[in-house]
Amino acid sequence: MKIYTKTGDAGETGLFGGGRVAKDDALVDAYGEVDELNATLGLARTFPMPADLEHFLQRIQDQLFTVGAVLATPPHTKAAAHIPELRPEWVEEMERHIDRYEEELPKMTHFILPGGAPAAAALHLSRTVCRRAERRVVTLLREDKAPPAVAMYLNRLSDLLFVVARLVNFRAGLPDVKWIPEKPTK
């Protein structure tokens, strides 16, 4: 099978299970953002980090592939029957991890800037891409073109990525990068 099909040369793409839409369609934009998020997590995992966090992030990447597939597959098509469903346990598992990780971390007393260890900085980038993907999905929710579970998953994931970025720094012995606002001039 060739990687190029030439079917998208006119600015359209095929959805999994049938139908064609413009490449700048809101649906394509949303699952493209999820794909970018997945790629940024892959990049983050190339940097040194504790093995338990790296393995958990790989599981998140597997889940994100499902999220993208759900968005790319029109409901009520034959193909939709072959796409795994988003599982509520995924959000619950993220919440348990967030709670456990926050117990390990020092209390946050100030706003922090993305940075620190390379893995932590990359995870902060993933967090911002996750928020952008979530915004795209919210647009689809208003039009009833995406399941609410996708927005919930992405919302919780961005929280998780924030905490994991902090944890990577903490375990590396690096403090949070504190935001120091400039004093207003009079």
Side-chain angles (χ1 to χ4, degrees):
M1 179 174 165
K2 290 185 177 184
I3 191 68
Y4 61 90
T5 62
K6 300 182 184 181
T7 59
D9 291 352
E12 289 188 342
T13 190
L15 297 175
F16 187 65
R20 296 193 64 77
V21 294
K23 288 186 175 186
D24 63 353
D25 185 89
L27 188 60
V28 177
D29 198 28
Y31 70 70
E33 297 289 354
V34 170
D35 187 35
E36 183 179 348
L37 168 58
N38 207 335
T40 65
L41 284 175
L43 174 65
R45 290 181 51 231
T46 67
F47 295 110
M49 73 172 70
D52 63 320
L53 301 178
E54 194 273 333
H55 294 301
F56 184 51
L57 292 174
Q58 181 176 354
R59 289 194 38 224
I60 296 294
Q61 283 190 278
D62 289 335
Q63 293 170 6
L64 281 171
F65 211 86
T66 299
V67 170
V70 166
L71 289 171
T73 308
H76 315 299
T77 61
K78 288 181 182 180
H82 300 285
I83 300 297
E85 293 183 12
L86 300 182
R87 298 172 57 181
E89 307 90 72
W90 294 349
V91 170
E92 295 165 4
E93 181 183 28
M94 283 190 279
E95 290 171 349
R96 284 192 304 276
H97 276 84
I98 290 168
D99 292 343
R100 190 171 72 237
Y101 295 157
E102 284 189 317
E103 287 178 9
E104 186 177 340
L105 287 166
K107 183 178 177 183
M108 200 169 83
T109 59
H110 51 271
F111 289 108
I112 65 170
L113 300 175
L123 288 166
H124 277 295
L125 176 61
S126 295
R127 173 186 54 79
T128 63
V129 173
C130 187
R131 286 288 188 207
R132 188 173 65 229
E134 181 186 10
R135 290 190 300 270
R136 300 303 188 264
V137 168
V138 167
T139 298
L140 294 173
L141 283 177
R142 283 196 302 267
E143 301 169 4
D144 201 30
K145 293 183 178 178
V150 172
M152 181 185 300
Y153 180 89
L154 293 172
N155 185 42
R156 206 67 80 252
L157 178 56
S158 65
D159 295 335
L160 174 78
L161 293 173
F162 178 79
V163 172
V164 172
R166 288 191 68 218
L167 189 60
V168 166
N169 279 336
F170 179 74
R171 288 186 182 176
L174 299 172
D176 288 328
V177 182
K178 184 177 180 180
W179 174 54
I180 303 171
E182 290 187 25
K183 305 264 187 230
T185 58
K186 293 184 181 189

